[in-house]
Short mmCIF file of all heavy atoms in Angstrom, two decimals:
data_model
loop_
_atom_site.label_atom_id
_atom_site.label_comp_id
_atom_site.label_asym_id
_atom_site.label_seq_id
_atom_site.Cartn_x
_atom_site.Cartn_y
_atom_site.Cartn_z
N SER B 186 -10.35 2.92 -10.50
CA SER B 186 -11.21 1.78 -10.78
C SER B 186 -10.61 0.90 -11.87
O SER B 186 -10.22 1.39 -12.92
CB SER B 186 -12.59 2.30 -11.22
OG SER B 186 -13.43 1.23 -11.53
N ARG B 187 -10.52 -0.37 -11.58
CA ARG B 187 -10.02 -1.38 -12.54
C ARG B 187 -8.57 -1.16 -12.95
O ARG B 187 -8.15 -1.61 -14.01
CB ARG B 187 -10.93 -1.46 -13.76
CG ARG B 187 -12.24 -2.16 -13.48
CD ARG B 187 -13.05 -2.35 -14.75
NE ARG B 187 -13.73 -1.12 -15.15
CZ ARG B 187 -14.89 -0.72 -14.65
NH1 ARG B 187 -15.48 -1.43 -13.72
NH2 ARG B 187 -15.45 0.39 -15.08
N GLN B 188 -7.82 -0.45 -12.11
CA GLN B 188 -6.39 -0.28 -12.37
C GLN B 188 -5.59 -0.78 -11.18
O GLN B 188 -6.12 -0.96 -10.10
CB GLN B 188 -6.05 1.18 -12.66
CG GLN B 188 -6.64 1.70 -13.95
CD GLN B 188 -6.14 3.09 -14.28
OE1 GLN B 188 -5.03 3.47 -13.89
NE2 GLN B 188 -6.95 3.87 -14.98
N ARG B 189 -4.31 -0.98 -11.40
CA ARG B 189 -3.47 -1.45 -10.32
C ARG B 189 -3.09 -0.31 -9.38
O ARG B 189 -3.11 0.85 -9.76
CB ARG B 189 -2.21 -2.13 -10.87
CG ARG B 189 -1.34 -1.27 -11.76
CD ARG B 189 -0.19 -2.07 -12.33
NE ARG B 189 -0.64 -3.19 -13.16
CZ ARG B 189 0.15 -4.14 -13.63
NH1 ARG B 189 1.43 -4.12 -13.35
NH2 ARG B 189 -0.32 -5.11 -14.39
N LEU B 190 -2.77 -0.66 -8.17
CA LEU B 190 -2.31 0.30 -7.18
C LEU B 190 -0.98 0.91 -7.65
O LEU B 190 -0.10 0.21 -8.14
CB LEU B 190 -2.10 -0.42 -5.84
CG LEU B 190 -1.85 0.40 -4.59
CD1 LEU B 190 -3.05 1.27 -4.27
CD2 LEU B 190 -1.57 -0.54 -3.42
N GLN B 191 -0.88 2.22 -7.52
CA GLN B 191 0.34 2.89 -8.00
C GLN B 191 0.72 4.04 -7.08
O GLN B 191 -0.13 4.61 -6.38
CB GLN B 191 0.12 3.43 -9.42
CG GLN B 191 -1.03 4.41 -9.55
CD GLN B 191 -1.33 4.78 -10.99
OE1 GLN B 191 -0.57 5.49 -11.62
NE2 GLN B 191 -2.45 4.27 -11.50
N LEU B 192 2.00 4.37 -7.10
CA LEU B 192 2.49 5.47 -6.29
C LEU B 192 1.94 6.80 -6.80
O LEU B 192 1.99 7.07 -8.00
CB LEU B 192 4.01 5.50 -6.31
CG LEU B 192 4.67 6.64 -5.56
CD1 LEU B 192 4.53 6.45 -4.06
CD2 LEU B 192 6.14 6.75 -5.94
N LEU B 193 1.42 7.62 -5.90
CA LEU B 193 0.98 8.96 -6.27
C LEU B 193 2.11 9.95 -5.97
O LEU B 193 2.57 10.67 -6.84
CB LEU B 193 -0.29 9.34 -5.54
CG LEU B 193 -0.85 10.73 -5.81
CD1 LEU B 193 -1.23 10.89 -7.28
CD2 LEU B 193 -2.04 11.04 -4.92
N LEU B 194 2.53 9.98 -4.71
CA LEU B 194 3.66 10.85 -4.38
C LEU B 194 4.30 10.39 -3.07
O LEU B 194 3.73 9.61 -2.31
CB LEU B 194 3.23 12.31 -4.29
CG LEU B 194 2.12 12.73 -3.35
CD1 LEU B 194 2.57 12.85 -1.92
CD2 LEU B 194 1.54 14.09 -3.79
N ARG B 195 5.52 10.87 -2.85
CA ARG B 195 6.26 10.56 -1.63
C ARG B 195 6.81 11.85 -1.05
O ARG B 195 7.14 12.76 -1.81
CB ARG B 195 7.40 9.58 -1.90
CG ARG B 195 8.18 9.86 -3.17
CD ARG B 195 9.15 8.76 -3.48
NE ARG B 195 9.62 8.87 -4.86
CZ ARG B 195 10.57 8.12 -5.38
NH1 ARG B 195 11.17 7.19 -4.64
NH2 ARG B 195 10.93 8.27 -6.64
N HIS B 196 6.87 11.94 0.25
CA HIS B 196 7.16 13.22 0.86
C HIS B 196 8.57 13.69 0.53
O HIS B 196 8.82 14.89 0.44
CB HIS B 196 6.94 13.18 2.38
CG HIS B 196 8.14 12.83 3.18
ND1 HIS B 196 8.47 11.55 3.54
CD2 HIS B 196 9.11 13.62 3.70
CE1 HIS B 196 9.56 11.55 4.24
NE2 HIS B 196 9.99 12.79 4.37
N ILE B 197 9.49 12.78 0.33
CA ILE B 197 10.87 13.17 0.09
C ILE B 197 11.01 13.91 -1.24
O ILE B 197 11.93 14.71 -1.43
CB ILE B 197 11.80 11.95 0.13
CG1 ILE B 197 13.25 12.39 0.29
CG2 ILE B 197 11.61 11.07 -1.09
CD1 ILE B 197 14.20 11.26 0.59
N SER B 198 10.09 13.68 -2.17
CA SER B 198 10.19 14.30 -3.48
C SER B 198 9.69 15.74 -3.47
O SER B 198 10.04 16.52 -4.35
CB SER B 198 9.40 13.50 -4.51
OG SER B 198 9.88 12.19 -4.59
N ARG B 199 8.83 16.05 -2.52
CA ARG B 199 8.27 17.40 -2.39
C ARG B 199 7.72 17.91 -3.73
O ARG B 199 7.96 19.03 -4.14
CB ARG B 199 9.33 18.38 -1.86
CG ARG B 199 9.78 18.08 -0.46
CD ARG B 199 10.70 19.15 0.08
NE ARG B 199 10.98 18.94 1.49
CZ ARG B 199 10.20 19.35 2.47
NH1 ARG B 199 9.08 19.99 2.19
NH2 ARG B 199 10.51 19.13 3.72
N GLU B 200 6.99 17.05 -4.41
CA GLU B 200 6.47 17.45 -5.72
C GLU B 200 4.95 17.42 -5.70
O GLU B 200 4.34 16.85 -4.80
CB GLU B 200 7.00 16.51 -6.80
CG GLU B 200 6.71 15.06 -6.52
CD GLU B 200 7.52 14.12 -7.40
OE1 GLU B 200 8.13 14.56 -8.39
OE2 GLU B 200 7.55 12.91 -7.10
N SER B 201 4.37 18.04 -6.73
CA SER B 201 2.93 18.00 -6.90
C SER B 201 2.64 17.07 -8.07
O SER B 201 3.18 17.22 -9.16
CB SER B 201 2.41 19.41 -7.20
OG SER B 201 1.03 19.36 -7.53
N ILE B 202 1.78 16.09 -7.81
CA ILE B 202 1.42 15.12 -8.84
C ILE B 202 -0.08 15.21 -9.08
O ILE B 202 -0.87 15.10 -8.13
CB ILE B 202 1.78 13.69 -8.41
CG1 ILE B 202 3.28 13.58 -8.07
CG2 ILE B 202 1.42 12.70 -9.51
CD1 ILE B 202 4.20 13.74 -9.25
N LYS B 203 -0.48 15.44 -10.30
CA LYS B 203 -1.90 15.56 -10.67
C LYS B 203 -2.60 16.60 -9.80
O LYS B 203 -3.78 16.48 -9.49
CB LYS B 203 -2.60 14.21 -10.55
CG LYS B 203 -2.03 13.15 -11.49
CD LYS B 203 -2.80 11.84 -11.44
CE LYS B 203 -2.19 10.85 -12.40
NZ LYS B 203 -2.93 9.58 -12.44
N GLY B 204 -1.86 17.63 -9.40
CA GLY B 204 -2.43 18.70 -8.59
C GLY B 204 -2.47 18.41 -7.10
O GLY B 204 -2.88 19.27 -6.32
N PHE B 205 -2.05 17.21 -6.70
CA PHE B 205 -2.03 16.84 -5.29
C PHE B 205 -0.70 17.22 -4.65
O PHE B 205 0.35 17.09 -5.27
CB PHE B 205 -2.23 15.33 -5.12
CG PHE B 205 -3.64 14.85 -5.32
CD1 PHE B 205 -4.04 14.32 -6.53
CD2 PHE B 205 -4.56 14.92 -4.28
CE1 PHE B 205 -5.33 13.87 -6.72
CE2 PHE B 205 -5.86 14.47 -4.45
CZ PHE B 205 -6.25 13.95 -5.68
N THR B 206 -0.77 17.65 -3.40
CA THR B 206 0.42 17.87 -2.60
C THR B 206 0.20 17.25 -1.23
O THR B 206 -0.95 17.04 -0.80
CB THR B 206 0.71 19.38 -2.41
OG1 THR B 206 -0.42 20.00 -1.81
CG2 THR B 206 1.03 20.04 -3.74
N ALA B 207 1.29 16.97 -0.56
CA ALA B 207 1.21 16.44 0.81
C ALA B 207 2.42 16.94 1.57
O ALA B 207 3.54 16.88 1.07
CB ALA B 207 1.16 14.92 0.82
N ASP B 208 2.18 17.46 2.76
CA ASP B 208 3.27 17.97 3.60
C ASP B 208 3.40 17.13 4.85
O ASP B 208 2.40 16.85 5.53
CB ASP B 208 3.00 19.43 3.99
CG ASP B 208 3.12 20.35 2.79
OD1 ASP B 208 4.07 20.15 2.00
OD2 ASP B 208 2.27 21.24 2.64
#
Side-chain angles (χ1 to χ4, degrees):
Chain B
S186 178
R187 286 186 282 277
Q188 293 187 29
R189 59 184 61 189
L190 191 63
Q191 58 188 288
L192 177 71
L193 179 62
L194 56 79
R195 42 188 164 173
H196 92 269
I197 196 169
S198 301
R199 295 186 172 276
E200 55 194 347
S201 173
I202 303 292
K203 298 185 179 182
F205 284 97
T206 58
D208 291 318

